[in-house]
Amino acid sequence: MDPEKLIISGGNRLQGTVKINGAKNSALSIMAATLLTKDVCILRNVPRLTDVDIMTKVIRKLGVKVEWKEDNNLYIDSDNFNNYEAPYELVKMMRGSILVMGPLLARLKRAKISLPGGCAIGARPVDYHLKGFEALGAQVEVEKGYIEAKVNILKGDEIYLDFPSLGATENIMMAACLAEGVTKIENAAKDPEVVELGHFLNKMGAKVEGLGTDLIEIEGVKKLHGVDYTIIPDRIEAGTYMIAAAITGGDVLIEKVDPLLLKPLIVKLEEAGVRIELEKSLIKVTGPHRVKAVDIKTLPFPGFPTDMQPQFMALSCVAKGTSVIIETVFEKRFTHIGDLIRMGADIKVEGHSAIIKGVKKLSAAPVMASDLRGGAALVLAGLVAEGTTELSRIYHLDRGYVNLEEKLTSLGADIKRVKE
Ligand code: EPZ
């Protein structure tokens, strides 16, 4: 496909209502979990994103039947798949493919997965995943860029995670569901996507307890059955539109999202002077003329989410005062800073900390996305920059935002997608 770019003319206040699609990272792990049963699974409210498309390609490659029906429903039938290899050409496009490893070990007792490379935000190792599978009895070897794992019988064990890794928690949980005995994951991730995966597994007949805490216990069962499940709304997509309302001094209603999943962002936006009104599954965001500077430190859930750090930094660029943003989860998640500076932001980086002196206005410039959420930060900056911003490499954005420019246009933004 020809490369495309976004043309954004800044200065419009956003007003109106935006619907939030299904959560990308919840869809990815639940799609992997469907491999654990021979029955058909139906997943509803699945977002049509490139990351999801790649995951459908990965599981199809394994021999699983995957079909889109209606507009956002996936029918997945892994009755008799037998290929246990996830090849380099697919895994290099989407690191989340590693999530098929746990289900493959549980179902086929084998897995051959291309070692996911790093990406713009960090080295992204998978050592916690592999350590977990070894604890469950798998032999794991890494050579020539592939992870080869095999096991006779998966046996439950106690696994301590050095860091509450979201992916490692999910991968180990899926393998443990069909292991013999009990598995305890200590220092487990508490993210909503982990909780959702656990709910899906329990609906399949698994026995997972402690979801949302740092100790998850899984009692292995013999078999899991098919499930009809609806993916939750995407909290990061919702958070991005909340910041779009805040940065443009707008008035936006965010539909179909559970405010509880966005607590850290809501608290920080209110500290910055943004008015937030909560209904059951609605969030009304009213931005002030200019937000106040606030400090942010990203932490594992329930701390401030690293996936919202770049977007919040865009807001800080035009805040009144100086903000300090510390990124503790990924070692290189500041790729957006160079381009924000090109747009007139005043940012200095000291190790994992960014010091942002708010400026009265940003100016449009040609910029490019280096990763998904960094790209979102540049869109947000373009919404308020004086002049017309051209953002290239927007394939990064298509990994995580459904109909981004359509939704922003419906809120009053002047934004369009053109061929490069
Ligand atoms: C998941 O990535 C998400 N991806 C990320 O979203 C999200 O930023 C991240 O969790 C943190 O919330 C998916 O769910 C597909 P981690 P994951 O394991 O699982 C280190 C997006 O684009 N680590 O919690 O890879 C790692 O390097 C992405 O949607 C190890 O050292 O995140 C990082 O510093 C961006 N060894 C930290 O832990 C391991 O084996 C957190 O990683 C695993 C992780």
Side-chain angles (χ1 to χ4, degrees):
M1 164 135 80
D2 297 343
E4 299 173 307
K5 60 186 175 185
L6 288 177
I7 311 289
I8 310 163
S9 296
N12 297 7
R13 278 185 77 241
L14 298 193
Q15 287 188 293
T17 301
V18 62
K19 270 197 178 23
I20 299 304
N21 286 83
K24 168 173 88 80
N25 292 344
S26 186
L28 293 175
S29 54
I30 288 176
M31 286 168 75
T34 63
L35 305 187
L36 291 164
T37 176
K38 287 174 169 294
D39 300 349
V40 172
C41 289
I42 301 171
L43 307 184
R44 301 179 191 281
N45 193 36
V46 181
R48 299 299 298 248
L49 294 163
T50 42
D51 271 13
V52 170
D53 284 347
I54 295 163
M55 185 58 102
T56 56
K57 287 192 174 88
V58 170
I59 56 183
R60 275 195 187 113
K61 186 87 183 165
L62 300 175
V64 176
K65 291 195 215 69
V66 186
E67 214 184 328
W68 285 100
K69 288 192 178 169
E70 296 86 38
D71 44 359
N72 287 337
N73 299 337
L74 269 182
Y75 285 61
I76 302 179
D77 174 1
S78 51
D79 179 14
N80 58 5
F81 80 98
N82 48 22
N83 177 12
Y84 55 79
E85 179 171 342
Y88 172 68
E89 60 271 8
L90 286 175
V91 176
K92 74 178 180 186
M93 289 158 73
M94 208 266 296
R95 309 184 56 268
S97 315
I98 183 86
L99 291 170
V100 300
M101 188 164 176
L104 284 174
L105 280 176
R107 205 51 206 281
L108 301 183
K109 307 285 188 278
R110 292 244 16 206
K112 183 177 178 185
I113 316 272
S114 166
L115 195 59
C119 67
I121 63 177
R124 310 294 294 274
V126 290
D127 49 330
Y128 306 153
H129 300 239
L130 307 186
K131 196 174 106 177
F133 295 137
E134 285 173 332
L136 298 178
Q139 288 86 39
V140 179
E141 262 153 50
V142 180
E143 57 180 34
K144 299 193 189 86
Y146 273 83
I147 307 162
E148 294 242 24
K150 53 178 180 292
V151 67
N152 295 326
I153 299 172
L154 284 169
K155 282 199 167 44
D157 199 342
E158 291 194 7
I159 297 159
Y160 174 80
L161 294 179
D162 299 8
F163 182 92
S165 154
L166 194 155
T169 304
E170 292 177 328
N171 230 341
I172 295 164
M173 203 159 72
M174 288 188 278
C177 283
L178 292 176
E180 274 184 11
V182 176
T183 297
K184 288 185 181 176
I185 306 175
E186 294 170 298
N187 196 22
K190 306 176 201 168
D191 302 68
E193 294 76 19
V194 174
V195 174
E196 277 302 299
L197 175 63
H199 289 160
F200 180 78
L201 293 168
N202 284 339
K203 230 182 143 181
M204 293 174 92
K207 291 182 180 157
V208 183
E209 289 181 4
L211 291 167
T213 75
D214 58 12
L215 174 62
I216 295 179
E217 292 200 24
I218 304 107
E219 188 187 334
V221 294
K222 285 263 175 289
K223 200 164 155 315
L224 295 171
H225 54 76
V227 167
D228 183 329
Y229 201 82
T230 299
I231 303 296
I232 57 168
D234 193 310
R235 61 192 168 110
I236 306 300
E237 183 192 16
T240 306
Y241 287 102
M242 288 167 68
I243 294 187
I247 201 170
T248 59
D251 200 350
V252 175
L253 190 60
I254 319 271
E255 279 192 345
K256 277 177 62 180
V257 68
D258 176 356
L260 273 185
L261 305 188
L262 281 154
K263 191 89 176 99
L265 177 64
I266 289 169
V267 168
K268 283 296 170 181
L269 285 175
E270 285 178 330
E271 267 178 40
V274 178
R275 194 145 64 88
I276 309 257
E277 293 158 271
L278 303 180
E279 302 276 318
K280 200 166 159 313
S281 66
L282 295 174
I283 302 179
K284 188 168 168 24
V285 182
T286 309
H289 174 64
R290 189 179 182 195
V291 295
K292 289 185 294 235
V294 293
D295 295 341
I296 299 281
K297 180 175 191 176
T298 67
L299 286 168
F301 193 90
F304 188 92
T306 172
D307 286 357
M308 283 306 304
Q309 175 263 104
Q311 300 92 310
F312 207 97
M313 189 180 290
L315 181 65
S316 306
C317 289
V318 291
K320 193 164 180 307
T322 298
S323 320
V324 178
I325 295 187
I326 305 173
E327 171 58 59
T328 70
V329 177
F330 288 108
E331 73 271 23
K332 282 197 317 187
R333 197 169 206 166
F334 281 160
T335 57
H336 39 288
I337 290 180
D339 281 296
L340 287 170
I341 292 172
R342 284 176 46 73
M343 296 177 77
D346 178 346
I347 308 174
K348 287 193 182 39
V349 177
E350 293 283 336
H352 290 276
S353 304
I355 298 104
I356 303 111
K357 266 203 197 108
V359 294
K360 278 215 168 38
K361 67 170 183 57
L362 293 172
S363 327
V367 287
M368 66 179 181
S370 309
D371 62 272
L372 167 56
R373 307 301 175 189
L378 296 172
V379 171
L380 294 167
L383 291 177
V384 290
E386 212 161 53
T388 301
T389 297
E390 295 201 2
L391 173 62
S392 57
R393 299 194 183 175
I394 56 171
Y395 55 86
H396 287 292
L397 288 167
D398 296 334
R399 288 186 42 221
Y401 293 97
V402 177
N403 298 336
L404 177 68
E405 63 272 19
E406 289 87 347
K407 291 187 180 182
L408 286 173
T409 301
S410 74
L411 292 173
D414 180 348
I415 178 170
K416 48 183 173 302
R417 180 184 288 246
V418 297
K419 294 261 181 277
E420 280 270 22

